[in-house]
Amino acid sequence: MLTIDDLNVRFDGQPVLEDVSLSLDEGLIGCLIGPSGCGKTTLLRLVAGFLAPDRGRIALHGDAVTGDRLLVPAEQRRVGMVFQDIALFPHLDVAANIGFGLNRWTPDQRRARVEELLNLVGLPGMGGRYPHQLSGGQQQRVALARALAPKPRLLLLDEPFSALDAELREQISRDVRAILLKEGITALFVTHDQNEAFAIADRVGVMHAGRLAQWDTPYRIYHRPRTRFVADFIGRSSFIPGTVTTEGRVETCLGVFAGNLPDGAAPGDRVDVMIRPDDILHNDDSPRTARVVDRAFRGAHMLYTLELDGGVRVPCMAPSHHAHPVGGRIGIELEMDHLVTFTPVGPGTP
């Protein structure tokens, strides 16, 4: 459905996007995450047709919309967009807001489509209400219905849930995914919320300084990060030092592990091994212990920061009904299904 090849953009001579390439199959939901200023929204606006790239190609369903001396206007791309600012028309009721882009449809077709969408987004019988009479979540559903009304080839969403509280945002995210799947709509999101990205997306792109660091499934983004930036940015991780002993094996303070190593790594080389909170399990019967240096209550779980005997600190997610005090020691065991290693960061390395 969506293909982006070697996209480059500069503003006032400064690179904003560099060599960005990705593809999104029809019916899938993609999500772009990354720190502020990394180029996520710019990429969305390029796909929508609100900006033109300096170099590169964008194609929808195999049809190029940008390229050499080509720039298809936004209104001809059949791309819908839901903005961070919902921007419903306050003087129009819900039905008129949803049907706003259906001017070329007959009145009967427009009424039928609006009624279909009201049912789809869970607002049956509310077409006569005005935006100020709706909750934030209901307004967001109307904005989604308005974007879906003309049956776009692709739907773009720029942080659409950022103004909602956390609980409502989680519910709306699940509902929107269900709606898009039911409609068979391909969609590309931008969000700052990693949990939202993992909950809603089939493919996740992590952006950094205008480049796409990794475009992959949520599982692989979390468990198989390709760069140290992705490993640092996604979830919570720490790195423990290790030494390559033989091909594919690393010795650390937590034991010897086998797996993929940095290109060119040879016996005797130092590497950093990524540790996720779910790699360290709390087990009071384990002979290996660590000292609790910090803890954060997360409801059903407690996120501990533990210090190993060698001084290395690692995260550990454990059930919160065992609330161990800071300064105490707890038994731990390692459950690492795969080894993720990186070349150690040296002085002055970003």
Side-chain angles (χ1 to χ4, degrees), residues 2-24:
L2 172 65
T3 305
I4 297 173
D5 288 322
D6 195 29
L7 214 57
N8 286 261
V9 175
R10 288 176 172 263
F11 292 161
D12 298 325
Q14 297 298 314
V16 177
L17 291 177
E18 295 187 85
D19 307 324
V20 174
S21 298
L22 62 84
S23 63
L24 185 63

Side-chain angles (χ1 to χ4, degrees), residues 294-304 317-323:
D294 192 18
R295 66 179 192 177
F297 183 67
R298 300 290 176 84
H301 293 88
M302 190 79 75
L303 179 60
Y304 292 104
M317 190 76 77
S320 61
H321 55 264
H322 287 175

Side-chain angles (χ1 to χ4, degrees), residues 1 6 41 111 121 126 137 141 152 155 178 186 218 257 289 319:
M1 168 58 76
D6 195 29
T41 295
R111 278 193 296 270
V121 300
M126 299 180 69
R141 292 169 186 268
L155 184 64
T186 309
F257 306 102
T289 64

Side-chain angles (χ1 to χ4, degrees), residues 83-90 97 143 146:
F83 297 93
Q84 184 175 354
D85 178 5
I86 299 171
L88 297 179
F89 300 111
N97 264 285
R146 183 176 62 183

Side-chain angles (χ1 to χ4, degrees), residues 83-226:
F83 297 93
Q84 184 175 354
D85 178 5
I86 299 171
L88 297 179
F89 300 111
H91 62 289
L92 299 180
D93 63 19
V94 166
N97 264 285
I98 294 174
F100 184 80
L102 304 180
N103 294 330
R104 297 186 179 182
W105 296 39
T106 68
D108 286 345
Q109 288 175 328
R110 188 162 55 246
R111 278 193 296 270
R113 181 61 173 160
V114 168
E115 189 68 25
E116 177 187 13
L117 287 166
L118 284 171
N119 287 317
L120 182 67
V121 300
L123 299 175
M126 299 180 69
R129 295 192 185 183
Y130 284 81
H132 73 272
Q133 297 174 311
L134 304 177
S135 68
Q138 289 171 332
Q139 290 181 17
Q140 194 64 67
R141 292 169 186 268
V142 174
L144 176 65
R146 183 176 62 183
L148 291 175
K151 299 185 177 181
R153 294 191 293 185
L154 176 70
L155 184 64
L156 307 176
L157 302 98
D158 188 8
E159 299 198 60
F161 315 130
S162 60
L164 304 178
D165 62 72
E167 185 175 348
L168 182 56
R169 187 164 64 239
E170 184 177 346
Q171 179 62 50
I172 289 288
S173 297
R174 290 197 299 267
D175 291 346
V176 167
R177 175 172 173 81
I179 290 167
L180 294 177
L181 292 176
K182 186 173 182 179
E183 283 280 282
I185 296 288
T186 309
L188 185 62
F189 272 75
V190 161
T191 183
H192 277 92
D193 189 325
Q194 296 179 20
N195 292 328
E196 183 176 284
F198 288 161
I200 203 169
D202 301 296
R203 297 290 183 273
V204 173
V206 181
M207 297 193 66
H208 179 221
R211 294 181 178 273
L212 188 63
Q214 188 169 347
W215 175 254
D216 220 324
T217 64
Y219 179 90
R220 290 186 63 84
I221 289 284
Y222 184 83
H223 288 291
R224 302 282 190 178
R226 291 180 187 165

